[in-house]
């Protein structure tokens, strides 16, 4: 199947085709420039070339890394089931941060850890939220609060 | 004409409220993302007012597909009142949306729905104070019990533009979305301090505990197995066995078909004589696939569709013969089309939709999404795709529409593809289960293993081929609720209606096609044409080409045809052939309605490529099974 190349803006989460951007229409640098500009929020980001081989793609695991965080924070994955804490730092790109924020998961909100496997389940207020372990890994609480 | 828009977070009871305000039923289920399209209806308290139900959204400002529908809706209407339906126990999130909705500049009312659950959990909200702080009417409601609806209707004329003294930052346009939401949340916290109080939560109820068991790594798996077994019993054995027997033998074969035949004979006279056959109906209650309890039986000698006609016919009698055969012949619209649709498909779909609706209303499905998230991750999807997949076990067309709840296009296409390739719809599934129950437990195991394997492999491969990103798995898990009987029945009824409307015309069309092909002796030619594939490659009798022919219209129709060939007094198929045909029909083309739905949602190109792929794959895998099976000497 030959699908058009869809881009996802890392900042606002808008999904678009490269053909719909200003880059593809009239920008003189189109051929040489490796940045794309999101038509929704105008954020510019790198258009990563796909260099993975078929074999790599088949067995690829998406590992996400987060810049090292200063200070004595603890990932919520280390909380025990039933433990409560206050979120201190959320390390994620803009659109993910925002999609957590709409569940009122922002620095300062109180959460309770409910379960780790098969997926992380936390409670914020009266909402139970299931998260990928990859996302939960990069949410931190300050140990003093636990 | 005035318009009332119902908007709010997902799964807060908008659709229940819509039913209360208009009397018009739209699907209500206990998971976020039930409603995917706008529904409009006239209100039941003022004929001049129109009410609109909208899909639930968490973030209005985001540019994701789901919030765009609501954004456009808010712009388009002129004389409009916006009722925001809020979950009273999640006031923080609801108010975040209130702030965003307020920017549309429409007069608003806030309905605090699910006040009953708030009370249960020990919370109270100072409604008057909240209303003063927001500057809009705030009405507590319990939509499922129709409480607070009168107050809500009375408050409509008082709807007003929100007026609050929010910090100046919030009024700034074009700030970063996330930053803005954080500021809003800060401001909301200060409102909540003054209006919302929680007293020590009571100890967890049985519903809460059940909810946790369902996602426990071990207990959850046991519950899942139990549910699968229930489904097998209720749909495969009870629906496709007991009920189908009743509708097919007791109703159609013994009562309706002879009636149709004698009616046709009287209205369309030509010299012929129908043969008679003995039909025995056993009323049984299934216990396991091989044990059942017989409660009684009815024996009748009935007219069959076969007849002898030796005398030469006049032209007018030939016309009669044509119409007679079209209606009640072996490929008759009534004796085949209608009886397949109503006697076989209907009972299976009925049992499936009942059970599925029950699972939906309890809130089990999002929990299943947690259990299967890892598995789906390997296919470039995440747990959220469980919903459309399970829905696909009901009807692939509905499920293709439901893929809208997935966030990225890539996920929607992968899910659509897997739905079309491996997920059998309820009628087909029921028929397959009925056929499998005539084989051994091992055949069933192999079949399940095969489906799982193909699903994982196809998912993995298409995840490689289709470029784009997968979304995060961030899913709100609703409370376990007790299903409302009325809702369950209305939902099943409206789905059945939808389904039958789709099925019956196609079954008629397919039967008419078979009949005409047979009449003009094209059927034989097609059978000869498909001989290399059907007989040499798949190892099936020549007539089975018919099954695949009508399978192009609907794969469940093809499956029913195979079932008929596999059962009965002189089955045409031996066990090995049954298994081969099960595999082939499982992976066969999606039905026409699904095909059009795919084309509508993702474009013709994708629909055609999915169609071609499934067709080739079905015959390929069926043939391989045939040859491998023979080679192993099974
Ligand atoms: N206890 C309680 N349950 C409610 C109430 N209102 C709705 N529900 C339940 O909440 C669930 C969701 O209701 P829906 O009307 O489908 O919610 P919705 O807002 O339309 O959801 P989406 O269409 O997914 O956005 C159903 O299981 C309802 O039975 C209420 O006032 N009290
Ligand atoms: Mg709804």
């Amino acid at each position: 199947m030959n699908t058009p190349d869809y881009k996802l803006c890392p900042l606002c989460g808008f999904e678009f085709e490269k053909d719909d951007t200003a880059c593809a229409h009239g920008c003189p640098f189109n051929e040489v420039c490796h940045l794309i500009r999101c038509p929704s929020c105008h954020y510019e980001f790198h258009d990563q070339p796909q260099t993975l081989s078929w074999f790599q793609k088949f067995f690829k695991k998406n590992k996400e890394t987060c810049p090292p965080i200063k200070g004595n924070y603890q990932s919520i994955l280390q909380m025990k089931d039933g433990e409560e804490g206050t979120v201190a730092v959320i390390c994620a790109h803009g659109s993910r941060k925002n999609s957590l924020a709409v569940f009122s998961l922002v620095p300062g909100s109180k959460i309770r850890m409910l379960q780790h496997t098969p997926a992380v389940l936390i409670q914020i207020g009266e909402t139970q939220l299931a998260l990928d372990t990859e996302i939960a890994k990069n949410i931190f609480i300050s140990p003093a609060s636990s | 004409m005035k318009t009332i828009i119902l908007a709010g977070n997902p799964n807060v009871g908008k659709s229940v409220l819509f039913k209360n305000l208009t009397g018009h039923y739209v699907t209500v289920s206990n998971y976020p993302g039930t409603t995917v399209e706008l529904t409009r209806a006239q209100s039941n308290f003022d004929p001049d007012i129109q009410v609109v139900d909208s899909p639930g959204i968490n973030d209005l400002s985001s540019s994701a597909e789901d919030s765009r529908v609501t954004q456009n809706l808010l712009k388009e209407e002129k004389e409009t009142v916006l009722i925001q339906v809020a979950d009273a126990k999640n006031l923080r999130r609801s108010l975040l949306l209130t702030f965003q909705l307020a920017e549309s500049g429409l007069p608003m009312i806030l309905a605090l729905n699910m006040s009953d659950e708030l009370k249960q959990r020990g919370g109270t909200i100072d409604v008057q104070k909240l209303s003063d702080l927001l500057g809009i009417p705030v009405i507590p409601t319990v939509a499922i019990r129709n409480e607070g609806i009168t107050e809500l209707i009375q408050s409509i004329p008082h709807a007003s533009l929100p007026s609050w003294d929010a910090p100046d930052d919030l009024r700034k346009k074009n700030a970063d979305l996330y930053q803005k939401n954080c500021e809003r949340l800060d401001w909301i916290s200060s409102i909540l301090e003054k209006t919302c109080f929680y007293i020590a939560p009571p100890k967890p109820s049985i519903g809460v505990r059940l909810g946790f068991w369902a996602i426990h790594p071990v207990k959850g798996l046991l519950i899942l197995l139990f549910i699968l077994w229930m489904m097998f019993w209720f749909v495969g054995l009870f629906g496709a066995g007991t009920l189908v027997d009743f509708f097919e033998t007791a109703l159609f074969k013994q009562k309706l078909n002879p009636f149709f035949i004698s009616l046709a004979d009287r209205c369309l006279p030509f010299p012929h004589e129908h043969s008679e056959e003995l039909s025995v109906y056993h009323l049984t209650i299934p216990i396991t696939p091989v044990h059942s309890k017989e409660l009684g039986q009815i024996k009748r000698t009935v007219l069959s569709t076969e007849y002898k006609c030796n005398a030469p016919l006049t032209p007018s009698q030939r016309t009669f013969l044509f119409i007679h055969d079209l209606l009640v012949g072996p490929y008759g619209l009534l004796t085949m089309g209608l009886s397949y649709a109503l006697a076989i498909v209907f009972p299976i779909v009925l049992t499936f939709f009942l059970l599925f609706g029950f699972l939906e209303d309890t809130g089990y499905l999002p929990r299943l999404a947690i259990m299967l998230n890892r598995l789906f991750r390997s296919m470039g999807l995440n747990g959220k795709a469980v919903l459309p997949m399970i829905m696909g076990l009901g009807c692939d067309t509905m499920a293709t529409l439901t893929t809208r709840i997935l966030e990225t296009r890539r996920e929607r296409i992968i899910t659509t593809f897997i739905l079309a390739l491996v997920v059998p719809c309820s009628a087909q599934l029921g028929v397959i289960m009925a056929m499998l129950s005539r084989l051994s437990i091992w055949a069933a195991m192999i079949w399940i293993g095969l489906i799982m394997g193909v699903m994982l492999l196809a998912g993995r491969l298409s995840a490689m081929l289709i470029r784009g990103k997968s979304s995060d798995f961030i899913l709100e898990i609703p409370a376990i609720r007790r299903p409302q009987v009325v809702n369950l029945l209305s939902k099943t009824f409206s789905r059945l209606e939808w389904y039958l409307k789709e099925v019956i015309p196609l079954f008629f069309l397919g039967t008419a096609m078979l009949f005409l092909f047979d009449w003009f002796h094209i059927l034989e030619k097609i059978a000869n044409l498909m001989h290399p594939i059907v007989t040499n490659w798949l190892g099936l009798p020549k007539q089975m080409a018919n099954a695949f022919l009508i399978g192009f219209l609907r794969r469940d129709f093809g499956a029913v045809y195979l079932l008929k060939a596999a059962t009965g007094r002189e089955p045409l198929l031996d066990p090995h052939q049954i298994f081969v045909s099960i595999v082939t029909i499982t992976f066969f083309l999606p039905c026409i309605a699904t095909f059009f739905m795919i084309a509508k949602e993702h474009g013709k190109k994708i629909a055609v490529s999915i169609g071609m792929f499934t067709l080739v794959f079905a015959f390929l895998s069926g043939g391989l099974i045939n040859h491998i099976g023979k080679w192993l000497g099974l």
Side-chain angles (χ1 to χ4, degrees):
Chain A
M1 261 167 283
N2 216 348
T3 53
D5 192 5
Y6 277 79
K7 310 284 177 200
L8 193 74
C9 172
L11 185 63
C12 68
F14 185 64
E15 202 181 24
F16 57 95
E17 281 179 59
K18 191 169 177 191
D19 290 351
D20 291 342
T21 61
C23 307
H25 294 286
C27 174
F29 298 115
N30 184 20
E31 295 300 319
V32 284
C33 163
H34 294 299
L35 293 172
I36 331 179
R37 186 188 282 258
C38 164
S40 172
C41 68
H42 306 296
Y43 174 70
E44 277 189 346
F45 58 98
H46 254 285
D47 183 16
Q48 290 161 335
Q50 301 255 335
T51 47
L52 296 171
S53 73
W54 276 63
F55 184 79
Q56 279 172 319
K57 272 196 213 163
F58 194 84
F59 292 102
K60 187 180 70 173
K61 277 248 163 70
N62 293 357
K63 275 274 173 323
E64 291 184 18
T65 46
C66 158
I69 294 191
K70 289 194 212 93
N72 189 15
Y73 295 121
Q74 187 190 7
S75 160
I76 62 166
L77 283 186
Q78 286 157 2
M79 293 167 83
K80 287 191 211 62
D81 288 357
E83 201 178 316
E84 290 183 13
T86 307
V87 176
V89 182
I90 297 176
C91 172
H93 54 75
S95 69
R96 177 180 294 167
K97 258 190 188 165
N98 194 39
S99 39
L100 291 172
V102 297
F103 291 104
S104 71
L105 183 61
V106 287
S109 47
K110 283 205 171 56
I111 63 163
R112 179 210 285 265
M113 186 73 185
L114 295 177
Q115 179 179 309
H116 289 83
T117 44
V120 176
L121 188 69
I122 56 178
Q123 178 149 356
I124 319 150
E126 289 299 315
T127 310
Q128 291 183 359
L129 201 62
L131 297 173
D132 269 325
T133 317
E134 286 290 305
I135 303 173
K137 194 176 77 188
N138 293 334
I139 301 176
F140 297 90
I141 53 168
S142 44
S145 74
S146 62
Chain B
M1 185 89 151
K2 253 175 114 174
T3 310
I4 294 178
I5 297 177
L6 295 177
N9 295 90
N11 208 39
V12 293
K14 295 180 295 299
S15 299
V16 181
L17 206 61
F18 180 73
K19 161 91 205 238
N20 292 344
L21 293 177
T22 63
H24 182 91
Y25 182 77
V26 288
T27 313
V28 169
S29 321
N30 190 12
Y31 59 78
T34 313
T35 309
V36 288
E37 287 178 310
L38 298 176
T39 316
R40 291 159 201 270
Q42 196 186 49
S43 73
N44 56 11
F45 51 88
D46 184 344
D48 250 5
I49 295 183
Q50 183 197 37
V51 186
V52 189
D53 184 25
S54 69
I57 43 167
N58 277 318
D59 189 13
L60 183 69
S61 43
S62 99
S63 40
E65 193 69 42
D66 52 348
S67 63
R68 239 176 273 169
V69 177
T70 312
Q71 281 168 2
N72 293 340
L73 176 70
L74 293 179
K75 270 182 230 150
E76 129 203 354
E77 310 284 342
K78 285 271 142 45
E79 230 185 301
T80 306
V81 173
L82 178 63
I83 298 186
Q84 187 199 346
V85 188
D87 179 351
K89 40 184 213 305
N90 282 313
L91 201 54
R92 190 183 299 269
R93 285 169 49 201
S94 311
L95 289 182
L96 181 62
L97 194 63
T98 313
F99 275 61
Q100 299 179 345
L101 288 170
E103 285 177 4
S104 68
L106 294 174
M108 287 179 69
I109 298 173
L110 183 65
L112 290 181
N113 196 29
M114 306 211 177
S115 310
D116 56 332
E117 289 192 351
L118 176 74
K119 213 192 245 162
Q120 263 172 29
R121 300 192 185 192
T124 39
I125 292 175
D126 186 341
V127 175
Q128 192 52 49
K129 189 101 177 250
L130 187 62
S131 170
D132 290 344
L133 284 173
L134 299 177
I136 56 177
V138 177
I139 315 285
T141 58
V142 183
I144 45 166
R145 279 191 250 130
N146 225 340
E147 283 170 25
I149 307 300
T150 343
E151 289 85 340
L152 189 65
I153 294 172
Q154 280 161 2
S155 74
I156 291 174
H158 308 294
S160 55
L161 294 174
S163 58
W164 45 54
D165 34 83
D168 290 340
D169 296 3
L170 280 182
R171 299 185 193 279
K172 258 190 287 176
K173 286 258 151 99
N174 290 335
D176 175 44
L177 287 184
Y178 170 67
Q179 227 60 51
K180 220 167 159 184
N181 279 339
C182 282
E183 276 157 27
R184 286 179 182 133
L185 282 170
D186 277 347
W187 170 236
I188 290 166
S189 293
S190 70
I191 296 183
L192 289 182
E193 264 167 33
K194 290 177 224 153
T195 55
C196 186
F197 313 98
Y198 269 89
I199 316 162
K203 75 174 199 302
S205 64
I206 178 80
V208 174
R209 266 182 289 161
L210 257 179
F212 281 116
W213 289 346
I215 47 174
H216 188 271
V218 181
K219 288 176 203 155
L221 212 59
L222 291 179
I223 291 187
L224 177 60
L225 288 178
F226 175 73
I227 287 175
L228 286 179
W229 184 81
M230 277 248 303
M231 187 163 128
F232 176 67
W233 187 86
F234 191 59
V235 181
L237 298 180
F238 181 72
T242 309
L243 285 186
V244 166
D245 260 358
F246 171 77
F247 278 94
E248 201 196 356
T249 316
L251 196 68
F252 268 87
K253 201 151 186 199
Q254 300 194 345
K255 288 269 155 64
L256 289 178
N257 284 354
F259 170 74
F260 290 145
I261 291 173
S262 53
L263 196 70
D265 285 355
R266 216 169 308 147
C267 303
L268 306 160
F270 66 96
H272 71 292
E273 186 129 13
H274 282 273
S275 56
E276 296 198 331
E277 60 180 348
L278 182 74
S279 148
V280 188
Y281 166 65
H282 303 271
L283 175 63
T284 54
I285 291 293
I287 300 165
T288 67
V290 280
H291 303 96
S292 59
K293 181 151 178 54
E294 184 162 331
L295 299 178
Q297 51 169 279
I298 306 173
K299 268 191 207 155
R300 276 223 172 85
T301 322
V302 295
L303 287 180
S304 92
T305 51
E306 311 279 328
Y307 61 86
K308 277 197 214 75
C309 155
N310 302 334
L313 298 177
T314 63
S316 73
Q317 281 174 333
R318 270 198 73 76
T319 330
F320 284 161
L321 175 87
F322 179 82
I323 302 175
H324 173 275
D325 277 8
L326 176 65
L327 291 177
V328 297
Y331 297 117
L333 290 184
L334 295 175
T335 42
M336 180 172 165
L338 193 69
S339 90
Y340 280 17
L342 289 188
I344 300 182
V345 170
F346 172 75
I348 297 176
V349 176
L350 171 74
T351 47
F352 181 85
F353 280 155
L354 270 177
L355 187 68
F356 180 66
F358 179 83
L359 287 180
E360 272 183 337
D361 284 8
T362 55
Y364 177 71
L365 297 182
R367 289 175 168 81
L368 188 60
I370 295 189
M371 297 295 289
L372 297 182
N373 181 39
R374 287 264 173 85
L375 190 74
F376 276 51
R377 267 272 168 241
S378 67
M379 301 190 285
L381 301 171
N382 68 42
K384 282 186 203 170
V386 165
L387 272 173
M389 293 280 189
I390 303 248
M391 183 110 215
L393 291 176
C395 170
D396 281 332
T397 320
M398 276 184 206
T400 307
L401 187 65
T402 313
T403 56
R404 284 191 189 176
I405 64 169
L406 302 180
E407 272 149 55
T408 66
R409 197 187 131 89
R410 175 180 188 236
E411 291 172 316
R412 291 195 285 270
I413 294 184
I414 297 178
T415 313
T416 308
F417 172 59
I418 292 178
L419 277 171
L421 183 67
V422 284
V423 179
C425 71
S426 51
Q428 198 192 357
L429 188 68
V431 171
I432 289 176
M433 283 199 227
M435 281 162 87
L436 281 174
S437 65
R438 312 204 175 231
L439 304 177
S440 63
I441 180 96
W442 294 114
M445 290 294 177
I446 297 175
W447 180 73
I448 292 175
L450 200 68
I451 285 205
M452 289 309 208
V454 169
M455 181 169 98
L456 287 178
L457 200 68
R460 194 89 191 90
L461 288 174
S462 53
M464 276 167 56
L465 277 177
I466 300 170
R467 288 207 260 164
K469 277 240 167 75
S470 293
S471 63
D472 293 337
F473 179 61
I474 302 175
L475 182 65
E476 183 191 351
I477 308 297
I480 292 272
R481 300 201 167 97
R482 185 179 307 141
Q484 313 279 127
V485 178
V486 179
N487 179 48
L488 186 58
L489 293 182
S490 340
K491 180 154 66 176
T492 310
F493 181 78
S494 73
R495 282 185 175 151
L496 272 180
E497 190 187 59
W498 197 86
Y499 196 85
L500 288 182
K501 262 190 204 151
E502 192 186 307
V503 162
I504 292 182
L506 278 177
F507 271 38
F508 277 153
L509 184 68
T511 318
M513 198 174 81
L514 278 189
F515 168 73
L516 288 179
F517 284 0
D518 183 49
W519 184 266
F520 294 111
H521 305 287
I522 304 176
L523 214 49
E524 264 167 60
K525 281 184 205 139
I526 295 179
N528 287 337
L529 210 66
M530 287 173 70
H531 188 264
I533 295 183
V534 175
T535 313
N536 299 353
W537 176 242
L538 294 178
L540 299 177
K542 208 166 94 179
Q543 298 96 305
M544 291 304 111
N546 288 353
F548 300 117
L549 204 61
I550 49 180
F552 277 107
L553 285 178
R554 288 192 64 87
R555 26 176 198 197
D556 48 355
F557 197 2
V560 172
Y561 196 92
L562 291 171
L563 176 72
K564 297 290 248 180
T567 58
R569 255 171 305 145
E570 301 146 30
L572 281 168
L573 305 176
D574 64 30
H576 174 69
Q577 289 172 326
I578 294 184
F579 192 72
V580 172
S581 52
I582 288 178
V583 170
T584 318
I585 206 74
T586 306
F587 297 131
F588 208 65
L589 281 178
C591 69
I592 287 214
T594 311
F595 185 80
F596 282 127
M597 185 62 89
I598 299 176
K600 192 178 124 211
E601 295 284 302
H602 306 296
K604 279 194 210 91
K605 223 166 93 183
I606 289 189
V608 171
S609 23
I610 288 181
M612 295 305 277
F613 183 85
T614 46
L615 184 63
V616 173
F617 187 81
F619 284 121
L620 204 66
S621 52
L624 283 180
I625 293 286
N626 174 33
H627 290 291
I628 293 174
K630 283 211 180 110
W631 180 62
L632 291 176
L634 294 176

